[in-house]
Amino acid sequence: MSVTKYIVHESPVGRTSSNYLAMVNLEPYGFAGSLEQIWLRPLDGNGYEVSCIPFRVYGLALNDVVRLDSEGKQIIEVLRPSGHRVFRVFLAPSLSVSESYEMRNSITRAIIDDALKSEWSGDRHVAIDVPLGREVGRVWPAIEHVAAEEKVYWEWGDVEPFHQ
């Protein structure tokens, strides 16, 4: 019997009192048996606006407008991209506790200095919102030296289009 793994957002950057939750099946992105819970803001008329920074799903970013399935439980289409991008960093399990702590603090400081929004999934994975026209100016130098040593891994969340 397989168990579904849920990727959740404990502190979504766009949390409000009227958010809505929907799922994205992560199997098309290489995560069989996994679903990511995405926070949404209902819009007047048609669609929902993404209110969190996706951790695993590709082609989806903060403030994108999406359409749900007929049951209202799963995101099936991006209606209007926001122009935002997601920069993801994963701290390798090979890092010691102190190295991981130091790296997490360094990344967090860089995110704050760049005035960017972010969400952490556990202690080792961060998704960073990069609005249109912005860059990860201080974040990249904070991880570049350890990325070359494969102590952190990074990616852009739009290397693949959204698909279900």
Side-chain angles (χ1 to χ4, degrees):
M1 178 164 96
S2 65
V3 176
T4 302
K5 179 178 181 182
Y6 294 92
I7 308 301
V8 298
H9 294 258
E10 294 179 10
S11 299
V13 296
R15 177 181 278 171
T16 66
S17 61
S18 63
N19 283 117
Y20 188 83
L21 297 173
M23 296 294 182
V24 173
N25 179 7
L26 296 176
E27 190 163 344
Y29 309 104
F31 300 99
S34 296
L35 297 170
E36 184 166 356
Q37 178 189 65
I38 301 293
W39 289 71
L40 304 168
R41 183 176 65 85
L43 298 175
D44 292 336
N46 189 23
Y48 294 81
E49 185 177 73
V50 175
S51 299
C52 62
I53 307 168
F55 293 127
R56 307 273 191 313
V57 62
Y58 290 93
L60 193 63
L62 184 66
N63 297 339
D64 284 356
V65 176
V66 299
R67 183 168 66 94
L68 303 181
D69 65 7
S70 60
E71 296 177 0
K73 294 182 179 183
Q74 194 163 356
I75 296 172
I76 58 170
E77 180 182 13
V78 175
L79 296 172
R80 190 175 65 245
S82 63
H84 288 233
R85 297 182 76 194
V86 178
F87 186 71
R88 299 177 179 134
V89 178
F90 178 73
L91 308 182
S94 61
L95 288 172
S96 70
V97 172
S98 63
E99 286 175 317
S100 179
Y101 180 79
E102 183 179 314
M103 181 87 307
R104 182 182 165 109
N105 285 341
S106 177
I107 292 168
T108 299
R109 278 193 307 276
I111 291 166
I112 291 168
D113 289 347
D114 274 344
L116 298 172
K117 296 176 182 177
S118 66
E119 294 182 32
W120 284 88
S121 176
D123 293 335
R124 296 186 177 271
H125 186 217
V126 63
I128 304 164
D129 174 57
V130 183
L132 186 63
R134 297 284 308 277
E135 296 181 7
V136 287
R138 291 179 179 95
V139 176
W140 177 248
I143 67 164
E144 183 178 21
H145 64 287
V146 289
E149 300 170 5
E150 296 186 351
K151 292 184 177 181
V152 301
Y153 302 94
W154 63 274
E155 69 176 358
W156 286 100
D158 56 2
V159 297
E160 283 186 43
F162 179 82
H163 52 90
Q164 285 297 283

